[in-house]
Amino acid sequence: MSRDGVRTWLLLLRWQLLRNRKLLVTLVLVQIALGVGMIYGFGFLVPHITPEVAVFFATGAPTLGMLIIGLTVVPQETALARVNGRFSYVAALPVPRLAPMCADVTFWLLVQLPGWVATLLLAVVHFNLHLHVDALVIPAVVLVSLSAAAVGYGVAVMFPPGATQQVSSFMSIALLLFSPINFPLDRLPGWLQDVHRALPVTYMADLVRGGLTGRYDVNRALAFAVVGGYCALGLLVAGWAARRRS
Amino acid sequence: MGMLVATDVTKTYRSGVRANDGVSIDVAGGEVFGLLGPNGAGKTTLVSQILGLAKPDAGSITIDDVDVVRRPEIARRWCSYQPQAAAPVDGLSAREAVELVGRIRGGEASKVRRRAGELLSALDLGDVADRPVPMSGGMARLTGFCMAAVVPGRVVVLDEPTNDVDPLRRRALWELIRNLADDGAAVLLVTHNVIEAERCVDRLAIVAGGRVLAAGTPAPLKAQLGAPLRLECTLEPDAASPELPEGLVAAGLAGRRLVAHVQASGVAAAVAWARRAQEDGIVAEFALTPASLEDVYASWVTTEGAA
């Protein structure tokens, strides 16, 4: 991204922070409560949580959070911005076409960050989990967040606002129930495992888990390549959608 | 050649509605150009194409000789814009919104801060500019204007800037619009407020049904009316519409307001008729004034509607 692009992204992020300032504390507290609830709640769902399962629960929470930001929050915020005129107003400003999307993702990552930290710390205490945070978690977070947001943004720009709500809700339910984020891939039926080997979700979860624990279930280079490829493709499609003129 | 030149711009939506049908306008730097027309005339569609948000089916749009249909990113850099709907200022104070847009448009922080302060003070918003509270319609619109004017582009597009604005601030707003042009910008002013626009525009185009019906400076357009004066009468509440004498041509009757065109040679007769009608209890009050842009606008748009 160019220097001007970074400057614009930071200004749009500032815009987001200012317009949401009254809700900011509430949003952060809700994310912390969700993380804490998830760690305790999974204890009710799965009575005997082994260290293996605990790793999936604790490290799956941030991945799930990033995917929900990208596939649900970003499209719904974008659809709302299309309805209230903010989208076309910002589109008429001299900003890189994907800068508003990047600012949205960054804002929601900042909102979620305290929740992730609380979740992981609680998991360390509650499940006696051993974390080994690696610097590679940073590119992993960037790639996962941008990939998901690119898909969500593309949906929001191409579909009418009403349809965007439906599509994004469907994507989040599919993620919650049928994606190997909080559980290993081999729990799924064979055909769904094959589907997920071609999709990026498994690799995303693995990259984040590996970055937090130092233990990767699939080849790390392959995971980065797959997620990086999907991210590039998603950004290309989202960029094309954002540049389209009626 | 103007700073902003649109030539034969045609745009048909997927629904089949032809919003622009060969529209041509030419706005020079230092000029306020009024785009006047009724709702649905295609004004906002033309603006969207100038800003690079929509693409014409045919025709060309250039800014400073650069084809902005092919290079919409240039349009975004060289145009600043106040939308017809209120600018998106929810959650922000007026000053924050104006400064943010100024910085996004590439302004230096200190210059943007100073200019934002000047604009907000000129519009008498200094006292409320720092409160991040929901804004009234008028205040949001004034803030939207400041957002367009804080770092003005070579072209400044203002879509209905005076809607919802109180009369005193409206006067200040017209002065600021004039200043933008005096500083060199080509100002495209889209408005329904024909009477007030007359004080500000250098040239104008009247559009309806997606086409430019008339264009030019106000004086020749008014001359086309064929009558330099207008007699405006307010009828008594229960009075029937009176028959006009020879030399007075009815231009319209809206409620109790009757307007007629008057030739210079017919002034004495027109005033005499109006006085008699007043004494007879038909006319409550009357005024003889020079023909205005509103008359030009009404004559063109009414003719188009009747066609």
Side-chain angles (χ1 to χ4, degrees):
Chain A
M1 205 188 281
S2 68
R3 199 174 150 199
D4 273 355
V6 172
R7 182 175 176 273
T8 309
W9 162 58
L10 291 174
L11 286 165
L12 290 172
L13 175 60
R14 188 166 167 228
W15 192 330
Q16 278 284 33
L17 287 164
L18 286 172
R19 63 185 280 269
N20 288 296
R21 73 190 123 190
K22 283 187 183 164
L23 278 176
L24 206 53
V25 173
T26 310
L27 290 172
V28 169
L29 288 177
V30 165
Q31 293 302 318
I32 292 174
L34 278 174
V36 171
M38 197 181 279
I39 294 298
Y40 275 109
F42 278 136
F44 300 124
L45 267 173
V46 185
H48 305 293
I49 295 181
T50 62
E52 179 83 4
V53 172
V55 166
F56 272 90
F57 283 173
T59 63
T63 311
L64 205 54
M66 284 179 253
L67 290 172
I68 285 176
I69 289 174
L71 297 176
T72 306
V73 179
V74 165
Q76 293 194 359
E77 284 277 303
T78 307
L80 183 65
R82 283 183 67 188
V83 171
N84 67 23
R86 193 160 56 87
F87 183 85
S88 57
Y89 185 83
V90 174
L93 291 172
V95 300
R97 295 298 81 186
L98 292 182
M101 179 199 83
C102 292
D104 276 5
V105 174
T106 315
F107 171 77
W108 287 104
L109 284 178
L110 290 175
V111 165
Q112 288 206 344
L113 195 60
W116 298 350
V117 173
T119 307
L120 291 169
L121 288 178
L122 189 65
V124 167
V125 174
H126 197 62
F127 300 127
N128 200 23
L129 203 69
H130 295 287
L131 295 179
H132 183 267
V133 181
D134 190 289
L136 284 175
V137 77
I138 294 170
V141 165
V142 171
L143 283 178
V144 172
S145 304
L146 280 181
S147 308
V151 173
Y153 190 75
V155 166
V157 174
M158 286 192 279
F159 285 84
T164 298
Q165 305 274 357
Q166 301 297 320
V167 173
S168 64
S169 301
F170 169 78
M171 287 192 294
S172 50
I173 288 181
L175 265 180
L176 281 170
L177 297 180
F178 302 108
S179 296
I181 296 170
N182 288 313
F183 53 85
L185 180 65
D186 56 24
R187 293 263 182 90
L188 291 172
W191 67 270
L192 200 48
Q193 287 184 35
D194 291 339
V195 169
H196 272 295
R197 284 193 186 95
L199 291 174
V201 178
T202 312
Y203 303 98
M204 288 171 166
D206 202 52
L207 280 182
V208 175
R209 191 162 49 246
L212 291 170
T213 63
R215 198 199 78 188
Y216 292 86
D217 288 336
V218 294
N219 182 294
R220 187 170 66 186
L222 173 70
F224 267 112
V226 171
V227 177
Y230 268 102
C231 183
L233 182 67
L235 290 174
L236 276 176
V237 173
W240 168 81
R243 272 185 284 273
R244 262 184 348 149
R245 286 176 284 171
S246 59
Chain B
M1 191 61 110
M3 174 68 76
L4 167 67
V5 181
T7 309
D8 292 330
V9 172
T10 298
K11 176 74 183 172
T12 306
Y13 287 113
R14 279 183 202 155
S15 60
V17 173
R18 178 160 285 202
N20 291 152
D21 188 2
V23 171
S24 297
I25 59 167
D26 180 335
V27 188
E31 177 179 53
V32 179
F33 188 95
L35 200 58
L36 276 49
N39 296 324
K43 307 184 296 292
T44 299
T45 299
L46 180 64
V47 165
S48 293
Q49 292 168 104
I50 292 168
L51 297 170
L53 298 175
K55 195 174 177 183
D57 301 327
S60 69
I61 302 172
T62 62
I63 297 177
D64 215 357
D65 293 329
V66 174
D67 178 353
V68 292
V69 175
R70 217 163 50 83
R71 300 193 58 193
E73 76 282 2
I74 295 286
R76 291 191 284 270
R77 203 178 314 147
W78 287 354
C79 291
S80 54
Y81 165 57
Q82 178 184 3
Q84 186 179 27
V89 291
D90 54 309
L92 304 180
S93 73
R95 195 182 307 278
E96 286 166 348
V98 177
E99 290 187 5
L100 261 174
V101 169
R103 297 294 312 284
I104 289 171
R105 288 197 50 76
E108 279 176 38
S110 59
K111 286 183 183 169
V112 165
R113 200 171 305 126
R114 193 171 56 242
R115 170 83 172 149
E118 287 166 4
L119 286 166
L120 292 164
S121 296
L123 292 168
D124 196 21
L125 294 174
D127 293 345
V128 291
D130 294 304
R131 293 182 207 152
V133 292
M135 295 184 198
S136 67
M139 190 165 158
R141 191 156 290 274
L142 290 168
T143 303
F145 169 78
C146 296
M147 290 159 86
V150 63
V151 178
R154 299 179 194 198
V155 175
V156 180
V157 180
L158 305 170
D159 200 343
E160 305 288 1
T162 56
N163 279 5
D164 305 323
V165 176
D166 65 69
L168 284 180
R169 287 193 173 97
R170 215 154 55 208
R171 196 181 293 171
L173 184 56
W174 286 120
E175 202 174 314
L176 290 172
I177 292 171
R178 189 65 252 173
N179 291 347
L180 284 171
D182 292 345
D183 290 341
V187 179
L188 180 63
L189 175 73
V190 181
T191 186
H192 295 296
N193 198 336
V194 186
I195 296 173
E196 290 189 14
E198 183 166 4
R199 282 190 253 145
C200 188
V201 299
D202 299 301
R203 287 190 306 129
L204 69 140
I206 296 171
V207 292
R211 289 180 294 121
V212 174
L213 303 180
T217 54
L221 285 172
K222 283 191 276 190
Q224 285 175 16
L225 282 173
L229 297 161
R230 70 194 316 245
L231 178 69
E232 185 174 338
C233 302
T234 305
L235 303 182
E236 290 288 359
D238 296 324
S241 178
E243 206 167 294
L244 295 175
E246 202 173 326
L248 280 183
V249 181
L253 175 67
R256 291 166 55 206
R257 184 167 166 254
L258 172 72
V259 178
H261 293 154
V262 185
Q263 296 292 345
S265 57
V267 169
V271 172
W273 172 83
R275 278 205 179 126
R276 259 199 320 279
Q278 202 171 26
E279 285 162 12
D280 294 344
I282 298 168
V283 168
E285 55 185 17
F286 67 89
L288 190 67
T289 57
S292 69
L293 266 189
E294 191 188 20
D295 300 308
V296 177
Y297 174 84
S299 83
W300 277 104
V301 173
T302 310
T303 308
E304 171 71 9

